[in-house]
Amino acid sequence: MARSSADDMELKRQCEAAIDGSGGGKQKVVLCIRVAKSRAVWGKPAKLGRHMAKPRVLAISTKSKGQKTKAFLRVLKYSHGGVLEPAKIYKLKHLSKVEVMQSDASGCTFMLGFDNLRSQSVAPPQWTMRNKEDMNRVIYCILNLCKDVLGSLPKVVGMDIVEMALWAKEHTVVKSKQEVTPDGHGPVLLPDTVTEIESEGTIERDLVFQAEEEDMEALLGTYLLGFGDAEAFSERIKRELLALESANVHAILETESVVDEVLRGLEVATICMEDMDEWLAIFNVKLRHMREDIESIEYRNNKLEFQSENNKALVQELDNLLEHMQIPTEHESALTVGSFDEDNMSKNIEACEWLTSAIRDLELPNLDPSYAKMRAVREKRAEFILLRCTFVRRASEFLTQYFPTLIDNLINDQNNFSQKGQIKRPDHSELRYKCRVYARLLQHIKSLDKNCMGPLRMSYCQSLNQLLRKEVSTFANELCGSIKVTRNSGIPLEGPLPIQMGSYADSKAVSEAYAKLINVFIPLLVDESSFFSHLMCFESSSSESSDDAESTSSGRTSSVSRTSGTASNAIEMAMLNDCLNNMLKGIQDDFFAIIDWAANTDVWCCITMYGITDRYLSGQKAENAAFVHILLGDLESRINSYFNVFVDDACFQVEKYEKTARTFGVLAYIPRFSQLAMRLEEYVHGNSRDLIDLSYTKIVSIMFVILEKIAQVEPKYADIMLLENYASFQNGLYDLANSIPTLAKFYHQASEAYEQACLRHINMVIYIHYEKLFQFARRTEELLISKMPPEEIPFQIGMSKGELRKVLKSTISNLDKTQSAMYKKLQKNLTVEELIPSLWDKCKKEFLEKYASFVKMVHRIYPSETVPSEIDMQKILASLEML
């Protein structure tokens, strides 16, 4: 038989090394053996696949710490390199059961149950040995350690402990280990060392105690079986069986009289049972007939009860139907002949609610289809519809007369409007209060018959339009009449200035009058539009937003276009647009009147009015204010047209200079524009900045174009005229350019043009007075550009060193006279003396830069020649200035 892996000392050393390497500390391996690991579901045999057996090594180890000893069961597996590594560790103190699996025919598979496993629903692994000897060795070793170390034994299932003890007694053999001597001459015996099976020999006395063994022997000794010879024992058993049978027959024969008596009793009992069976059959027939009668009675009873319940339900349903079809007397009188006074409105509303509910209850799907076909229901529904038409007609006629009459009373009362010397704000609170009384009635009229709302809405809008137009007209006329201001035509850019020019303070009252008109009536119009929308039941469209509103006028036709979610909403919006158009129709003419008056009085007020209008225009985006938004857009266009006329007139005045202006000096429109800009800034209000910036762009662009054209008439003096006018433009707008981006842009544009004109004029003056010097330098540059070597230039005609000395001598010897002539030249044609110092500084700086370039050229081409440096020339000029 092959050697057991439990005797493999190399395997034991590998296990000890793996345990030490895992951080488990120094432990003694008592037994290690190769096994096959498998797993199966509770109560089911193991299957191949994921439960296939895997090779493992079981190692039983102990660890001593003081007087305490701990026992472990370690499971080790082979890594990819064939090295043992720890896979799992169990503490033997938690071992509760050792079970030998009966499903394994070989009897070599057992299972260890621990009471501290996390999931008891998962079956613990099964360990399969090569043979029963290996399994017995492992189990004996475990039980022995449990007894010695823990003092208790686990439950053993599937094996006989007595047989196990006998097996241990038979296999308790002392074996010696062989060990090679250090010198390598051969093995030596170690008699003091025994294998694990030797230690297992003591399990017999551990499993069966001595006292228990003696009791068992005494018990067995009480039975004298006497089966030394098997044949003799068999004959003895046969004799005893025959004797037992004879005794039984004899006993039966002795009790014959008793048996006869029992048989007679049985016969009597049989006769009684037959009689009882006949009685039971008779009773069964009677009970069956009785049961059939009871079932028949119950069936008829159930049928009657069901019919009774149906009749009760039918009566109740008919009562309910009659209740819906019956018209209460008070409601009938309110719907047919009732008054629409304010005191009776609660009764009218209750009657409308009842009629609406009654008609709805007689329509599908609120009414059962079987009832809908009944003639009484059809006739009653027709009666309700006729009643509805009568009530809607009466209510519509009343409201169509009531609203115009109510508004006409307000129009005829002059105390509701502005009068001479008294400006009165419109107050519609009483009108709205009286209209709200009928708000719920209007809702019921729309729910009963929405087609009748059209004439009613138009009647209200037309009457309210007359009231609003009269209020705006009287308010605007009184505003214009209460303000006394002189006409102000502004600051002209051409021609003589007016003797007395007005200011913003003089015409402020005009702008305030327009602002007051807007502040009073724009919110009023918005409120009236919203009130009308809700009063006349346009709430279904309140969630829609106004996407576009634009006006096309021949008289006044307006449309508000929007994308609606449903066809009904689109129809509602079209009706609302039409009504609001009629409500505000023609009212813009009264607003135009005050704009015309303000623009003719002071055109500058257009700026302020534009800002006021734009502020309201950006805020009125609501659906009900769409036509107010259109009105504000028209007002803004009207104001913009007046201001555009003013700007176009200013541009036309500037264009006149092209034919009439002189070709020298500062043009008159340059300083006047700065006055114009300062005056315009006084009127900036709200969002009118864009309007002002556009006017600046248009006017200044024309100014610069005309200036360039006038300057080109006399090219000789063009630069002088440009620099003087651009300088004047910058001086006039210096403060405004720091705060206004649009003017800052033109300020920088004028500054660049001024610098270019100065540079051209200064270069002209320098070349005139230092012609020989810079003409010599220019010829040198031309030769260098033609790629002539610098060392050959002195040998060209007119470029010798002698010519250079002559030029330098003539320039330096007459330097004081030349500088004086240059200054006089600059001073001669300038009309603005304030520019002379700055121009003279620019002229000297430009001359020094050109002279420095000349000196570099001389050092490059005439290195042996000595010329005054740039610093020397600067000192010479400074000394001449001091003289």
Side-chain angles (χ1 to χ4, degrees), residues 539-547 562-566 569-570 573 621-624:
E539 291 85 0
S540 61
S541 61
S542 60
S543 62
E544 300 293 330
S545 61
S546 176
D547 296 330
R562 56 176 53 79
T563 303
S564 11
T566 62
N569 282 345
M573 291 310 303
K621 296 292 185 181
E623 170 194 290
N624 295 330

Side-chain angles (χ1 to χ4, degrees), residues 245-265:
E245 289 178 352
S246 298
N248 290 336
V249 171
H250 179 73
I252 291 172
L253 293 176
E254 288 181 352
T255 57
E256 181 180 0
S257 59
V258 177
V259 170
D260 294 337
E261 186 177 355
V262 171
L263 291 175
R264 288 194 296 271

Side-chain angles (χ1 to χ4, degrees), residues 53-281:
K54 301 175 183 178
R56 293 290 186 270
V57 174
L58 287 182
I60 303 172
S61 63
T62 60
K63 181 179 180 180
S64 299
K65 187 175 182 181
Q67 295 181 356
K68 295 182 179 180
T69 302
K70 296 182 179 180
F72 303 95
L73 175 65
R74 291 183 176 269
V75 181
L76 297 96
K77 65 180 181 179
Y78 289 96
S79 63
H80 295 293
V83 180
L84 282 177
E85 59 181 19
K88 224 159 195 188
I89 181 172
Y90 301 94
K91 293 182 179 180
L92 289 182
K93 68 178 182 179
H94 296 295
L95 181 64
S96 60
K97 181 174 71 172
V98 178
E99 180 180 359
V100 177
M101 307 306 298
Q102 301 299 325
S103 59
D104 186 4
S106 64
C108 299
T109 302
F110 67 95
M111 180 180 68
L112 301 177
F114 294 87
D115 57 9
N116 65 334
L117 293 180
R118 294 183 179 179
S119 177
Q120 295 295 338
S121 62
V122 179
Q126 299 177 0
W127 311 103
T128 304
M129 302 297 180
R130 294 175 56 193
N131 49 52
K132 286 188 177 181
E133 297 294 331
D134 287 351
M135 185 184 72
N136 289 337
R137 293 181 70 176
V138 172
I139 294 178
Y140 273 119
C141 183
I142 292 174
L143 296 177
N144 188 35
L145 281 177
C146 290
K147 183 65 177 178
D148 291 343
V149 177
L150 307 176
S152 62
L153 289 175
K155 180 180 180 182
V156 179
V157 180
M159 63 187 304
D160 190 351
I161 294 181
V162 177
E163 292 182 2
M164 195 179 301
L166 294 174
W167 179 88
K169 189 174 182 180
E170 292 176 0
H171 291 78
T172 304
V173 180
V174 177
K175 294 184 179 180
S176 300
K177 293 184 179 179
Q178 292 185 352
E179 188 177 81
V180 180
T181 59
D183 56 359
H185 292 293
V188 295
L189 294 176
L190 301 176
D192 56 339
T193 306
V194 295
T195 62
E196 289 79 357
I197 192 63
E198 180 182 11
S199 63
E200 294 170 4
T202 61
I203 198 167
E204 178 183 3
R205 66 175 178 273
D206 293 329
L207 297 179
V208 182
F209 293 99
Q210 183 66 31
E212 295 175 352
E213 185 178 359
E214 291 176 356
D215 293 340
M216 292 174 64
E217 290 178 356
L219 180 64
L220 293 174
T222 58
Y223 293 93
L224 299 177
L225 298 178
F227 48 84
D229 188 1
E231 293 180 359
F233 180 73
S234 178
E235 289 294 332
R236 177 184 170 185
I237 292 299
K238 288 179 180 180
R239 289 194 301 272
E240 291 181 356
L241 180 59
L242 290 174
L244 182 60
E245 289 178 352
S246 298
N248 290 336
V249 171
H250 179 73
I252 291 172
L253 293 176
E254 288 181 352
T255 57
E256 181 180 0
S257 59
V258 177
V259 170
D260 294 337
E261 186 177 355
V262 171
L263 291 175
R264 288 194 296 271
L266 289 174
E267 186 177 357
V268 172
T270 303
I271 295 171
C272 292
M273 291 299 297
E274 290 176 353
D275 295 340
M276 183 68 69
D277 183 60
E278 292 179 1
W279 294 343
L280 290 176

Side-chain angles (χ1 to χ4, degrees), residues 683-696:
Y683 288 84
V684 173
H685 181 84
N687 298 329
S688 59
R689 167 55 57 193
D690 295 340
L691 181 68
I692 299 299
D693 289 344
L694 289 175
S695 65
Y696 286 155

